[in-house]
Amino acid sequence: MAGPGWAPPRLDGFILTERLGSGTYATVYKAYGKKDTREVVAIKCVSKKSLNKASVENLLTEIEILKAIRHPHIVELKDFQWDSDNIYLIMEFCAGGDLSRFIRTRRILPEKVAHIFLQQLASALQFLHGRNISHLDLKPQNILLSSLEKPHLKLADFGFAQHMSPWDEKHVLRGSPLYMAPEMVCRRQYDARVDLWSVGVILYEALFGQPPFASKSFTELEEKIRSNRVIELPTRPQLSRNCRDLLQQLLERDPDRRISFKDFFGHPFVDLEHMPSGQSLERATALVVDAVKKDQEGDLSSALSLYCKALDYFIPALHYEVDARRKEAIKAKVGQYVSRAEELKALVNSSNRALLQQGTCARDLLKEMARDKPRLVAALEVASVAMAKAF
Ligand code: ADP
Ligand code: MG
């Protein structure tokens, strides 16, 4: 197979240029289509020799399945070819490099950035989980970035791991054990849940600058993997409670006690429901329509609650929007809703006080307000800050 320093291989319909990277099994080149559009792609050359478990035929069937997959946070597999030595995967080109380099050049990522990346990774994993596909080799080198200006994360290099044991014929571990779940290294018996451990390691590395098992020697690394000590999180930088809780639940050595896929997708720090997406604006608008209706009917507290729920979707909608004019238009609308919500908050608060002064029993209403208030106030604060920053 073509290694570093070798001329790129020849391939029908493409001009292969610079080497983008190489991993455990393959070398990836940047390439141009020979057609008029000169489409830029990345071509991954996998040596057939590295395929030990399943036959090449099985693998080709699997690639056909991967080709049908379309998700905004999964690298698109456009096509594939093969010859006597290699299989060539023609993929979408990701100009932002991989997450490993992104973290290294910044040393650590702020929680807010790590959070957005985590949501994008989780949405890709949820999509794959629903199709019974596990990755089994999740690590920052296998997570690519669409561009450096507005990086969107793209999951790469999956669907192969099932065919390639992490142990070679001489029982030597392939790849880095830093991201592998302990059961993969120690017991050699594992399932899809190893992906959740790896997500924990990736999040840990993004926030603290190195993976939890980072070691100076192989002996130290082995000891850390085989130990049964609970993974301790550094006290600095300060992180939200939800973020720490999720890390601790992902980095649970025993897969039976590790957070489940269902609980991971629903965890408050992952919060896929409020992830910036094409649907955010739709959901926000539907809620605001209801809010205006309640407002017109004079049901102020329901209107307030609906405005706040809508704002929980407007903020991600603003993050998602790339068109500057449309972004401005949404921003102007959000400004109006924030103002109206603030007015309503004052009105609802004063009417509650009035009710109390009248001696009317409004305990239920107050209880509900008290329960909802921190969330409402938080949503309003987030919206106000977001507005002040003027996106
Ligand atoms: P392997 O199976 O050998 O690990 P990968 O698919 O992970 O191969 O690719 C190796 C490296 O090549 C990645 O870490 C990344 O730096 C680079 N790379 C892979 N795919 C692309 C792509 N689509 N666009 C840009 N760079 C890529
Ligand atoms: Mg890889």
Side-chain angles (χ1 to χ4, degrees):
M1 190 179 76
W6 287 53
R10 293 175 164 276
L11 197 62
D12 259 2
F14 294 95
I15 301 167
L16 276 73
T17 62
E18 71 197 85
R19 198 175 68 95
L20 292 168
S22 50
T24 326
Y25 309 105
T27 305
V28 181
Y29 296 91
K30 189 175 179 179
Y32 298 88
K34 280 185 183 163
K35 287 207 196 110
D36 297 345
T37 52
R38 297 257 142 184
E39 186 190 19
V40 183
V41 292
I43 298 187
K44 174 167 172 168
C45 310
V46 188
S47 162
K48 282 186 180 170
K49 277 189 226 130
S50 63
L51 308 172
N52 53 5
K53 277 270 158 76
S55 69
V56 172
E57 248 99 295
N58 277 349
L59 188 59
L60 293 177
T61 317
E62 177 129 352
I63 296 173
E64 199 64 76
I65 297 168
L66 298 180
K67 221 179 110 181
I69 284 179
R70 289 280 183 286
H71 186 274
H73 297 295
I74 294 177
V75 174
E76 187 188 328
L77 175 63
K78 292 171 180 287
D79 208 351
F80 65 98
Q81 298 183 20
W82 67 93
D83 59 25
S84 51
D85 300 323
N86 296 315
I87 296 175
Y88 304 96
L89 305 178
I90 298 141
M91 301 178 292
E92 154 189 19
F93 170 63
C94 298
D98 63 54
L99 183 64
S100 162
R101 190 159 10 126
F102 190 87
I103 299 173
R104 238 181 306 125
T105 53
R106 287 158 183 79
R107 203 178 64 80
I108 56 168
L109 306 185
E111 183 180 320
K112 247 168 81 179
V113 176
H115 180 233
I116 294 172
F117 282 166
L118 176 73
Q119 280 188 319
Q120 298 182 350
L121 176 60
S123 80
L125 291 176
Q126 189 180 44
F127 178 88
L128 293 176
H129 188 67
R131 283 156 185 78
N132 244 325
I133 301 175
S134 15
H135 193 292
L136 307 184
D137 191 20
L138 276 178
K139 53 187 173 188
Q141 292 85 345
N142 285 340
I143 296 173
L144 308 179
L145 298 161
S146 55
S147 74
L148 280 175
E149 294 74 50
K150 188 126 180 62
H152 277 247
L153 183 152
K154 302 261 179 181
L155 184 54
D157 202 9
F158 63 90
F160 266 54
Q162 281 101 326
H163 298 278
M164 299 174 191
S165 154
W167 305 91
D168 71 9
E169 304 77 38
K170 296 192 181 98
H171 305 286
V172 175
L173 198 59
R174 281 194 241 235
S176 162
L178 284 174
Y179 303 94
M180 291 178 193
E183 69 268 25
M184 200 165 192
V185 183
C186 303
R187 288 200 262 131
R188 301 192 188 187
Q189 208 178 28
Y190 54 87
D191 55 38
R193 293 174 296 177
V194 296
D195 282 346
L196 292 166
W197 170 274
S198 306
V199 171
V201 178
I202 295 165
L203 181 59
Y204 185 112
E205 179 171 333
L207 295 164
F208 303 117
Q210 57 177 17
F213 290 160
S215 307
K216 289 195 180 69
S217 67
F218 192 77
T219 327
E220 188 186 329
L221 172 65
E222 200 169 10
E223 193 276 319
K224 283 182 181 169
I225 296 174
R226 293 195 188 280
S227 142
N228 48 22
R229 282 191 304 273
V230 172
I231 308 290
E232 269 185 45
L233 306 180
T235 49
R236 306 232 148 237
Q238 270 194 351
L239 301 170
S240 68
R241 211 164 36 135
N242 280 340
C243 177
R244 283 185 181 273
D245 177 72
L246 178 66
L247 271 171
Q248 213 75 68
Q249 292 202 59
L250 288 166
L251 293 173
E252 165 58 59
R253 291 173 189 267
D254 179 354
D256 291 334
R257 291 172 54 191
R258 194 171 299 151
I259 193 168
S260 66
F261 275 97
K262 184 167 166 283
D263 292 348
F264 168 62
F265 300 132
H267 189 279
F269 190 65
V270 181
D271 193 18
L272 281 182
E273 179 61 24
H274 294 105
M275 171 187 168
S277 80
Q279 276 88 55
S280 304
L281 188 59
E282 230 169 83
R283 297 204 178 119
T285 312
L287 283 160
V288 117
V289 167
D290 290 348
V292 171
K293 199 160 150 249
K294 290 284 175 202
D295 207 350
Q296 282 164 351
E297 288 167 9
D299 185 349
L300 302 189
S301 88
S302 301
L304 173 59
S305 165
L306 284 162
Y307 274 121
C308 289
K309 281 189 188 138
L311 288 169
D312 278 347
Y313 287 100
F314 269 123
I315 306 307
L318 269 170
H319 273 291
Y320 187 76
E321 186 56 66
V322 280
D323 181 274
R325 288 238 308 266
R326 277 206 299 268
K327 206 173 191 133
E328 276 308 313
I330 302 175
K331 214 160 59 183
K333 281 280 173 209
V334 174
Q336 289 171 15
Y337 304 141
V338 171
S339 306
R340 182 60 189 151
E342 255 152 8
E343 276 170 25
L344 286 174
K345 196 171 90 183
L347 283 170
V348 172
N349 277 344
S350 68
S351 76
N352 286 343
R353 266 196 301 277
L355 281 174
L356 266 184
Q357 275 158 10
Q358 282 167 21
T360 318
C361 178
R363 212 174 295 142
D364 288 347
L365 177 64
L366 275 175
K367 247 196 234 159
E368 200 175 310
M369 282 296 294
R371 201 177 50 228
D372 257 10
K373 210 174 158 196
R375 213 191 60 76
L376 299 186
V377 171
L380 273 178
E381 271 168 10
V382 170
S384 308
V385 170
M387 292 304 295
K389 279 192 190 153
F391 275 91

